[in-house]
């Protein structure tokens, strides 16, 4: 649930594609392509999510200063191009430009999760 002074939105976590900071506003894009903008900064959104999720940071991951992404929708991480590709439900990929260091940290954490559970594709 995302609440501001004037509005409330109830969403299933699996429908969230990403949150993106825009100064004192936060944009939310759902996997169905629906977009919302809230008059709260991304830090406050992150606090709301952590307080409401039973297992924080397992699906929604903060990537740098400007994004919170749903790791279940990540299709590709391209470090040289600083690109994160997310796959929405309608099959349309969404591209985010992320600074290299936060992107590298995301890639490392995802790789660590599958360590022992799978193999890299060469």
């Amino acid at each position: 649930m995302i609440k501001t002074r004037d509005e409330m939105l109830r969403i299933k976590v699996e429908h969230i594609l990403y949150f993106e900071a825009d100064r004192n506003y936060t944009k939310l894009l759902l996997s169905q392509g629906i977009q919302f903008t809230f008059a709260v900064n991304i830090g406050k959104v992150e606090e709301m999510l952590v307080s409401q999720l039973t297992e924080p940071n397992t699906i929604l991951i903060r990537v740098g200063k400007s994004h919170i992404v749903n790791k279940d929708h990540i299709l590709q991480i391209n470090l040289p191009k600083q690109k994160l590709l997310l796959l929405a439900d309608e099959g349309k990929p969404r591209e985010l430009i992320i600074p290299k260091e936060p992107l590298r940290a995301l890639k490392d954490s995802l790789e660590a999760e599958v360590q022992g559970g799978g193999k890299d594709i060469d």
Side-chain angles (χ1 to χ4, degrees), residues 73-121:
H73 289 281
I74 295 173
L75 180 63
Q76 179 190 34
I77 295 173
N78 186 318
L79 289 175
K81 293 182 180 177
Q82 295 180 291
K83 184 171 77 170
L84 177 63
L85 205 58
L86 301 168
L87 192 58
D89 287 350
E90 74 267 10
K92 183 180 177 188
R94 300 285 179 150
E95 183 178 297
L96 298 176
I97 302 302
I98 309 276
K100 196 174 280 187
E101 285 312 307
L103 201 56
R104 183 182 313 279
L106 174 64
K107 180 178 177 287
D108 292 346
S109 96
L110 292 175
E111 287 174 347
E113 280 182 23
V114 295
Q115 215 78 66
K119 289 187 170 185
D120 287 340
I121 298 172

Side-chain angles (χ1 to χ4, degrees), residues 6-115:
D6 299 322
E7 58 186 323
M8 180 195 77
L9 183 64
R10 292 182 60 212
I11 319 155
K12 291 184 178 183
V13 174
E14 59 267 18
H15 294 297
I16 295 171
L17 200 59
Y18 67 86
F19 292 92
E20 183 173 27
D22 184 10
R23 296 192 185 120
N24 290 329
Y25 294 88
T26 300
K27 180 172 76 173
L28 163 63
L29 187 70
L30 300 180
S31 58
Q32 298 88 350
I34 302 166
Q35 181 176 309
F36 296 94
T37 302
F38 301 102
V40 266
N41 67 36
I42 199 163
K44 193 72 171 166
V45 169
E46 186 177 28
E47 287 174 20
M48 284 184 224
L49 294 171
V50 168
S51 71
Q52 293 177 41
L53 296 175
T54 54
E55 297 178 37
N57 294 330
T58 55
I59 294 177
L60 299 176
I61 301 174
R62 180 81 181 250
V63 184
K65 294 178 181 176
S66 300
H67 295 89
I68 298 172
V69 301
N70 184 328
K71 74 176 184 182
D72 289 346
H73 289 281
I74 295 173
L75 180 63
Q76 179 190 34
I77 295 173
N78 186 318
L79 289 175
K81 293 182 180 177
Q82 295 180 291
K83 184 171 77 170
L84 177 63
L85 205 58
L86 301 168
L87 192 58
D89 287 350
E90 74 267 10
K92 183 180 177 188
R94 300 285 179 150
E95 183 178 297
L96 298 176
I97 302 302
I98 309 276
K100 196 174 280 187
E101 285 312 307
L103 201 56
R104 183 182 313 279
L106 174 64
K107 180 178 177 287
D108 292 346
S109 96
L110 292 175
E111 287 174 347
E113 280 182 23
V114 295
Q115 215 78 66

